[in-house]
Amino acid sequence: YTEKELREIFSQYLDDIKIYGYYIPLPIPKAEHFSNIWPIRNIFYWLIRAGKKYPNMSTGILIRGRKK
């Protein structure tokens, strides 16, 4: 689903909807195995922060809202 589609679906149940992503994956297979190496770790922190801004590109999406 896109962010727009999710807003339409959940708007009948929730007010003040916020949609966040939580991680944009690297296009390199098994890149997560190197996330503890210092210079590469910064790339993973950046990808986590970028996931919040671009939920359509994220691995997963979090939806927050107030019940109607």
Side-chain angles (χ1 to χ4, degrees):
Y1 294 99
T2 65
E3 185 177 352
K4 182 181 177 183
E5 291 171 337
L6 289 171
R7 284 188 190 279
E8 290 174 5
I9 292 169
F10 285 99
S11 65
Q12 58 186 333
Y13 305 109
L14 300 172
D15 286 330
D16 193 29
I17 297 172
K18 305 283 185 190
I19 298 176
Y20 304 102
Y22 55 83
Y23 176 65
I24 296 176
L26 284 174
I28 302 168
K30 299 185 181 183
E32 291 83 15
H33 294 280
F34 303 105
S35 64
N36 288 331
I37 299 172
W38 175 74
I40 298 172
R41 186 181 324 155
N42 293 334
I43 294 170
F44 282 93
Y45 288 150
W46 182 83
L47 290 170
I48 291 169
R49 287 191 306 269
K52 288 183 177 181
K53 293 181 182 179
Y54 305 105
N56 290 333
M57 295 173 58
S58 294
T59 303
I61 295 176
L62 302 171
I63 301 170
R64 186 180 79 179
R66 229 175 343 143
K67 189 176 176 181
K68 285 189 174 184

